[in-house]
Amino acid sequence: RTRMQWGMTQEPTAILTALNYFCQNVDSQIRIKEIGMCAGPENLVQRNGLVIGASPDAVILYPNNSRIEALEVKNHCPFVSNHKNSPKWFNETHQFRVSVRHAPAEVAPWYVPQLMMEMVCLGPECRSAVMVRQTATKGAVILRLHRDDDWIEEMLHLLKRFKTEFVDCETLPPKDFFWDVDAERYRDFVQKTK
C-alpha cells in the first residue's frame, strides 16, 4: 500500500521530469498533456468484439501534431519493509527503511502489455510510448518502447480467446489456461515479450 501511495503522489514529479527532458533536449515546443481513459478503436469492437481502453499518465505532443506518444511513469518507492534479517531493536522501532537504488534502465516485460495497449488506444499514429522510471534518491531513466503491430495482433488474439472461452461463457479460467491450448503459440508470444 505504501508503494502504491508513493507512486500516485509522485506521478506529477515524474511527468515534470519528462517535460523538462523533452523541452530541453528534443524540442522546446513539445507539450505534455494529462489524459484520462482512452477508448480502444471502434474497429476492434466490430472485428473482435473487444471493448478495451487504456489510461496513459499523459501524452507527448510534438509540434504541428507531427507525432504523439503515450507517457507512462513509474515511481519506485524508496521505502521497503524491514525483514527478519534486520536487528530486532530496529524492527521494533522502524516499520520501514530507505532503500537506495537506481531506476532500472529497461522496460520490464510486465509493462509491455500496458504500453502496447496505450498505443492501440491512442490510435495508429501513436508509434511509441515513453516510460519514465524515477527514484527518490538516484534520479530517473527515460525509456522508449516502439509499437509492434504483430505483437499487438497476438495480444488481441489472446484477449479475444479469453473473452470467448471464459468471459462470454461466465466460466472461471483454469490455472495456466493458455498453456493448455496453443501452447507453442503462447510460448512464442511470452518469449517475444521478454
Side-chain angles (χ1 to χ4, degrees), residues 5-158:
Q5 190 64 42
W6 178 266
M8 290 186 306
T9 303
Q10 296 301 317
E11 185 175 298
T13 305
I15 291 172
L16 181 60
T17 296
L19 179 64
N20 287 335
Y21 173 81
F22 281 97
C23 286
Q24 291 173 13
N25 298 296
V26 179
D27 188 325
S28 63
Q29 298 302 307
I30 283 177
R31 298 292 175 250
I32 293 182
K33 293 187 178 184
E34 291 185 286
I35 191 167
M37 176 63 77
C38 300
E42 181 103 6
N43 68 346
L44 283 180
V45 176
Q46 296 164 351
R47 192 176 77 203
N48 295 324
L50 293 174
V51 178
I52 61 170
S55 56
D57 295 316
V59 292
I60 302 171
L61 302 170
Y62 288 78
N64 303 319
N65 294 322
S66 61
R67 191 165 139 204
I68 183 173
E69 290 182 296
L71 176 62
E72 187 62 39
V73 299
K74 302 295 180 190
N75 287 287
H76 299 278
C77 182
F79 305 112
V80 294
S81 297
N82 285 319
H83 48 78
K84 61 185 175 188
N85 294 335
S86 297
K88 184 179 180 196
W89 64 266
F90 190 83
N91 284 340
E92 289 173 355
T93 58
H94 301 83
Q95 187 176 2
F96 296 99
R97 63 183 170 81
V98 174
S99 171
V100 178
R101 59 184 179 167
H102 293 275
E106 65 179 2
V107 175
W110 50 88
Y111 295 133
V112 172
Q114 177 184 9
L115 296 174
M116 291 291 181
M117 188 64 79
E118 290 173 0
M119 288 183 257
V120 167
C121 292
L122 286 171
E125 62 278 356
C126 181
R127 304 307 302 166
S128 56
V130 170
M131 175 179 270
V132 176
R133 298 187 79 171
Q134 187 159 282
T135 69
T137 58
K138 293 290 183 177
V141 175
I142 299 176
L143 308 160
R144 178 173 280 118
L145 180 69
H146 292 279
R147 184 180 180 125
D148 182 336
D149 288 317
D150 292 335
W151 191 97
I152 288 170
E153 283 302 315
E154 195 63 16
M155 172 183 67
L156 294 173
H157 165 78
L158 294 168

